[in-house]
Amino acid sequence: MAAAARPLVSVQPLPASLNDMATDHVTTVALPDVMKASIRPDIVNFVHSNISKNSRQPYAVSKKAGHQTSAESWGTGRAVSRIPRVSGGGTHRAGQGAFGNMCRGGRMFAPTKTWRRWHRKVNVNQKRYAVVSAIAASSIPSLVMARGHRVESVPEMPLVISDSAESIEKTSTAIKVLKEIGAYPDAEKAKDSQAIRPGKGKMRNRRYISRKGPLIVYGTEGAKLVKAFRNIPGVDVANVERLNLLKLAPGGHLGRFVIWTKSAIEKLDSIYGSFEKCSEKKQGYVLPRSKMVNADLARIINSDEVQSVVKPIKKEIKRASLKKNPLKNLNVMLKLNPYAKTARRMALLAEAERVKSKKEKLDKKRKPVSKEELAAAKAAGKAWYKTMISDSDYTEFENFTKWLGVSQ
Amino acid sequence: MQHDEVIWQVIRHNHCSFMAKITTGNFCRNPYNITGVCNRSSCPLANSRYATIRDHDGVFYLYMKTIERAHKPNELWERVKLPRNYEKALEIIDKHLMYWPKFLVHKAKQRLTKMTQMSIRMRKLALKTREKIMTTPRKEIKRESRREKKAETAAELDKSIEKELLERLNGGLYGDIHNILPKHFNKILDENELQAVSEDEEYEEEPEIEYVQGYDDLEEEDDIEDFGGFAIDESLKNNDDAHEDEEGMDSVDGKRVKRRSESAHQKMEEDERRKSKKKAKVLVEVEHEDASERQRATF
């Protein structure tokens, strides 16, 4: 981790008219490592939704509700449904259905109980991760603006003011200070947004709603600025040692506008430690390491180190072609077996020869025979017949006399 | 820390207060956005190097932000005033965004073009007078019409006009011509006539000849049939006679004779009509029978 030079945050001086300590030169503070932690909106969302359940008060219906009757089912045979009915007589209520969630005056389905699990346990490390993420997000002006705070006139993010602010006692001076450091538009936005809540929440002790303004974080215990700032609409105050995720990421959305005092920001290092050094206040706690130290993917890909090793782009891409059957497709066959061409040619020629010769033979036979040929054919036939009927013409007969046993 | 990718992931997938989702797509409400669309390349929050064109009172400015000033929101945007000349403005954009990504240069020029076109069009429209549509709430419209009606009836325009005209008439505005408005003239005459008659009766009590209408004479007749439909005609005739002649009995006798002859004549006419009708009926019956026979034959 390159943690050689940490950027410096300048501390905004407060005007000398407000207090005795006139800071002529602008002091600087090193940026605490917390502000460089990884920003994990998923963890913040999860932890926020669970932690916000912890301040709930139980609600339930009365356990006797709907059961304070001695109703019995009339059973079958009375041409009415079998729901338990109220016994007795002389009143409308007699004979009416009871006990069921479908009955008027019956108990509800699954009556709510007070022993519902109201509170959620979240792992300590997860809670710390969420807070650290929220602090880191509060130092990025884009995220703060995206959340909706008006920080266009703020001189620097994270906004640090000198410790003389901690001794402010009057709200009027507090407002003046906010105006000086450019945080007043945000507080003004919160004040203008005060409205009556729409819906039933009005009559359930949640009558007014408004936007959130800046969060002032102070370092020294018992600072008077708490009383000065707490009455300004939208402004929250918190001690560094007790930072609340519900205040740092209201609604589960990262990027609350935070105003730090100098002592507060100097304490952050000791409270949360750094990426290597353990925290002093939280035993054995080290800031969470991110999966990617440098998350700027585009920059990494286009850097020299990567581009120099990367293979060049393939312009011609070879794609798999359709398989064609060589037995049916001659060209494909030739690719595999070039001799197939001549073999096939020979075969075709031989076939043509055969056909021709056969045709000639047949033509010859089908041709009408001339007289001479006919006479010659007849004579030849007669001669052959003569050979067949004359035994004496059998020349090699003597050879077989021995084993044939012929008398003649 | 200030990684664009991380910021974009958080903004797009979690929450951005500038993003507006419409059925057609995602748009960005951020005033510094160059295209107005919520995009990885158009998001002014997720790009540390960004440029836009914005106009202020008709003057176009080129706004630029770089990563060096990313942590100082106060001084983030550096602006350059663009000249009014379109080509020169393009050159200035080229000069300032010389080695910047092509996307931003292209979009900046596009935006400048569009804005100049819009400003030209707006100036042209401002010269024309355009009617502005003003809406009135329905309640008011109805109320006004109701009151208008009431006011009209309350004003009694006719009477006031009459008064005015009479004054003018009496004042001699129209000289000797009295019957400019015939309707009102006649009405006034009638009113005045009655007054005169009543006055006459008071002063002169000489009802000499009473002109009786025909109705009284008719009552003396025996035949009621003659009354029937003819009564009205006769009364009218009698009225005329009364106006023309001031004789009494002679005219009445004449009427009697006339009446009888007239009635007899009319009776004859009636009989004729009936006869003709009967004949016609006979003929008709024959035809019908034939027609019916024919029909039967077909069956």
Side-chain angles (χ1 to χ4, degrees), chain A residues 214-281:
Chain A
L215 171 72
I216 319 274
V217 179
Y218 61 95
T220 50
E221 200 56 60
K224 297 209 185 70
L225 74 77
V226 178
K227 287 212 182 148
F229 279 95
R230 71 182 182 190
N231 202 26
I232 305 172
V235 171
D236 285 326
V237 193
N239 190 330
V240 180
E241 310 200 355
R242 296 183 289 278
L243 282 173
N244 188 356
L245 180 68
L246 302 174
K247 296 251 159 60
L248 283 170
H253 297 141
L254 288 164
R256 176 110 189 241
F257 177 31
V258 183
I259 302 175
W260 308 88
T261 58
K262 185 154 171 287
S263 46
I265 235 187
E266 281 162 356
K267 272 196 179 177
L268 271 181
D269 247 337
S270 64
I271 294 173
Y272 291 101
S274 75
F275 292 101
E276 275 103 36
K277 198 178 82 158
C278 279
S279 140
E280 290 151 29
K281 301 280 170 62

Side-chain angles (χ1 to χ4, degrees), chain A residues 22-295:
Chain A
T23 46
D24 291 321
H25 55 278
V26 172
T27 48
T28 56
V29 184
L31 188 77
D33 274 338
V34 199
M35 308 243 169
K36 292 205 216 119
S38 55
I39 295 171
R40 294 274 248 114
D42 53 333
I43 293 182
V44 169
N45 198 19
F46 170 77
V47 174
H48 176 90
S49 58
N50 283 324
I51 282 186
S52 58
K53 293 179 186 170
N54 289 344
S55 63
R56 295 197 287 179
Q57 284 187 351
Y59 64 86
V61 290
S62 163
K63 73 170 186 179
K64 295 186 278 191
H67 281 285
Q68 289 174 304
T69 41
S70 63
E72 281 227 44
S73 171
W74 287 356
T76 49
R78 297 247 224 140
V80 293
S81 69
R82 293 181 276 173
I83 191 89
R85 290 174 187 276
V86 176
S87 7
T91 173
H92 286 298
R93 184 71 178 132
Q96 283 180 353
F99 291 155
N101 55 315
M102 63 285 224
C103 299
R104 179 177 177 273
R107 110 187 93 64
M108 64 180 273
F109 162 72
T112 49
K113 301 287 187 221
T114 51
W115 56 81
R116 179 196 298 218
R117 191 168 69 106
W118 301 100
H119 306 94
R120 293 288 180 276
K121 192 174 90 166
V122 188
N123 300 343
V124 173
N125 202 18
Q126 273 184 327
K127 287 194 272 200
R128 286 174 181 167
Y129 203 137
V131 172
V132 155
S133 242
I135 293 173
S138 76
S139 68
I140 299 178
S142 297
L143 292 177
V144 177
M145 284 202 274
R147 206 192 155 272
H149 292 285
R150 320 302 316 283
V151 284
E152 286 91 16
S153 43
V154 169
E156 190 180 351
M157 287 288 276
L159 185 60
V160 185
I161 56 177
S162 76
D163 275 336
S164 52
E166 293 197 357
S167 49
I168 294 177
E169 291 188 35
K170 300 285 287 172
T171 309
S172 48
T173 35
I175 291 179
K176 273 203 209 121
V177 164
L178 285 181
K179 284 190 180 152
E180 273 291 324
I181 57 175
Y184 193 64
D186 204 25
E188 220 176 3
K189 177 197 88 162
K191 181 150 158 262
D192 291 336
S193 68
Q194 282 173 334
I196 296 184
R197 184 189 296 263
K200 287 274 184 338
K202 269 198 287 295
M203 36 170 123
R204 294 179 181 172
N205 307 331
R206 285 170 251 135
R207 195 161 176 87
Y208 296 101
I209 47 170
S210 64
R211 303 287 91 75
K212 290 270 179 214
L215 171 72
I216 319 274
V217 179
Y218 61 95
T220 50
E221 200 56 60
K224 297 209 185 70
L225 74 77
V226 178
K227 287 212 182 148
F229 279 95
R230 71 182 182 190
N231 202 26
I232 305 172
V235 171
D236 285 326
V237 193
N239 190 330
V240 180
E241 310 200 355
R242 296 183 289 278
L243 282 173
N244 188 356
L245 180 68
L246 302 174
K247 296 251 159 60
L248 283 170
H253 297 141
L254 288 164
R256 176 110 189 241
F257 177 31
V258 183
I259 302 175
W260 308 88
T261 58
K262 185 154 171 287
S263 46
I265 235 187
E266 281 162 356
K267 272 196 179 177
L268 271 181
D269 247 337
S270 64
I271 294 173
Y272 291 101
S274 75
F275 292 101
E276 275 103 36
K277 198 178 82 158
C278 279
S279 140
E280 290 151 29
K281 301 280 170 62
K282 303 185 198 288
Q283 260 220 341
Y285 178 70
V286 170
L287 281 177
R289 289 202 283 179
S290 48
K291 282 278 179 286
M292 275 178 87
V293 170
N294 179 10

Side-chain angles (χ1 to χ4, degrees), chain A residues 31 35-36 39 41 140-143 145-148 151-157 253-254 293-297, chain B residues 1-7 9-11 14-18 32 44-46 65 70-76:
Chain A
L31 188 77
M35 308 243 169
K36 292 205 216 119
I39 295 171
I140 299 178
S142 297
L143 292 177
M145 284 202 274
R147 206 192 155 272
V151 284
E152 286 91 16
S153 43
V154 169
E156 190 180 351
M157 287 288 276
H253 297 141
L254 288 164
V293 170
N294 179 10
D296 198 349
L297 198 59
Chain B
M1 194 185 78
Q2 173 79 336
H3 295 306
D4 293 347
E5 271 302 319
V6 173
I7 294 173
Q9 288 284 329
V10 175
I11 286 176
N14 269 44
H15 182 255
C16 175
S17 60
F18 296 109
Y32 288 98
L45 301 174
K65 79 162 182 172
H71 60 290
K72 289 195 235 167
N74 217 1
E75 304 156 19
L76 188 58

Side-chain angles (χ1 to χ4, degrees), chain A residues 305-323:
Chain A
E305 294 92 330
V306 171
Q307 287 294 321
S308 58
V309 198
V310 145
K311 283 198 256 184
I313 301 174
K314 256 199 231 175
K315 290 290 180 188
E316 299 104 29
I317 305 165
K318 201 171 170 191
R319 303 231 178 261
S321 60
L322 181 67
K323 178 172 182 214

